[in-house]
C-alpha cells in the first residue's frame, strides 16, 4: 500500500499576510479618495461653465430686447464687469434705449460677480452690417444684421498659479468666447 503525504494545512494567516492585505486595501482607499477629489473638481468646473453659458445667453436676450441700444453701440464695452448702481427704469419714469443698456450692463455685471468664482476682464463688441439705416424703420424693431462677440473670463477655484484661489492673473484664467447675431 502506497501512502501519499499531503502537506499540513495552515490553520491561520501569518502576520505578514495580514499586513499585506491591509496595505493593498489602504492603497485602494487612497486611490478612491483621489478619484473623488478629481470628480468634485470636475463637477465644480462644469457647474461654473454652465453658469457662464446661462449668463451669456441672458445678456444676448437683453440685447435683443433693446435693438436701438444695440444699434447705437450702448452694449459695447471692453471693461466688464462694470460698476455702479443700476438706474430705475419703470413705466412711471421710462428710459431711453441707452439708459436701458446701461442698466442691463450693470445688472449683468453684478450677476457675473455673484455667479462666478473670480471674474476677469470681459467684453462685448458688436459690429454693424453696412448699408442699413435704422431711421428708415422708425417705430419698428430695426434688424441688427450684424454680429457680436462676447468674451467672459474667470478663474476657477484651486487652479490659480502661485497658490491660493481665485487669482485673476492672465495665465490662470478660463475664457468663454461666443460670436452671435442678436
Amino acid at each position: 500500500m502506497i501512502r501519499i503525504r499531503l502537506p499540513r494545512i495552515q490553520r491561520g494567516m501569518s502576520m505578514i499576510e495580514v499586513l499585506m492585505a491591509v496595505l493593498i486595501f489602504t492603497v485602494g482607499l487612497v486611490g478612491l479618495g483621489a478619484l473623488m477629489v478629481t470628480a468634485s473638481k470636475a463637477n465644480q468646473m462644469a457647474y461654473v461653465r454652465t453658469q457662464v453659458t446661462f449668463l451669456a445667453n441672458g445678456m444676448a436676450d437683453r440685447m435683443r430686447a433693446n435693438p436701438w441700444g444695440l444699434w447705437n453701440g450702448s452694449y459695447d464695452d471692453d471693461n466688464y464687469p462694470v460698476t455702479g448702481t443700476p438706474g430705475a427704469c419703470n413705466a412711471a419714469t421710462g428710459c431711453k434705449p441707452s439708459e436701458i443698456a446701461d442698466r442691463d450692463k450693470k445688472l449683468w455685471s453684478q450677476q457675473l460677480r455673484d455667479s462666478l468664482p473670480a471674474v476677469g476682464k470681459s467684453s462685448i463688441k458688436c459690429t454693424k452690417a453696412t448699408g442699413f439705416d435704422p431711421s428708415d424703420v422708425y417705430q419698428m424693431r430695426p434688424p441688427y444684421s450684424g454680429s457680436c462677440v462676447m468674451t467672459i473670463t474667470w478663474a476657477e477655484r484651486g487652479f490659480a498659479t502661485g497658490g491660493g484661489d481665485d487669482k485673476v492673473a492672465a495665465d490662470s484664467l478660463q475664457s468663454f468666447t461666443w460670436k452671435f447675431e442678436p
Side-chain angles (χ1 to χ4, degrees), residues 74-171:
S74 299
Y75 289 95
D76 292 358
D77 200 330
D78 289 332
N79 295 312
Y80 282 100
V82 297
T83 58
T85 304
C89 289
N90 56 40
T93 61
C95 282
K96 297 176 186 167
S98 61
E99 294 171 333
I100 294 171
D102 184 59
R103 178 178 170 77
D104 288 344
K105 288 167 58 172
K106 290 175 181 172
L107 289 172
W108 188 65
S109 294
Q110 187 61 46
Q111 288 177 328
L112 287 174
R113 285 188 290 272
D114 291 345
S115 299
L116 302 179
V119 182
K121 185 177 175 183
S122 300
S123 65
I124 295 176
K125 179 66 180 156
C126 296
T127 307
K128 292 185 267 190
T130 57
F132 176 77
D133 182 11
S135 62
D136 294 341
V137 289
Y138 189 71
Q139 300 296 337
M140 295 174 51
R141 182 188 189 284
Y144 187 68
S145 67
S147 64
C148 296
V149 176
M150 181 184 301
T151 302
I152 303 172
T153 57
W154 72 96
E156 291 181 344
R157 294 193 186 277
F159 290 96
T161 57
D165 284 345
D166 300 346
K167 302 287 185 189
V168 289
D171 60 344

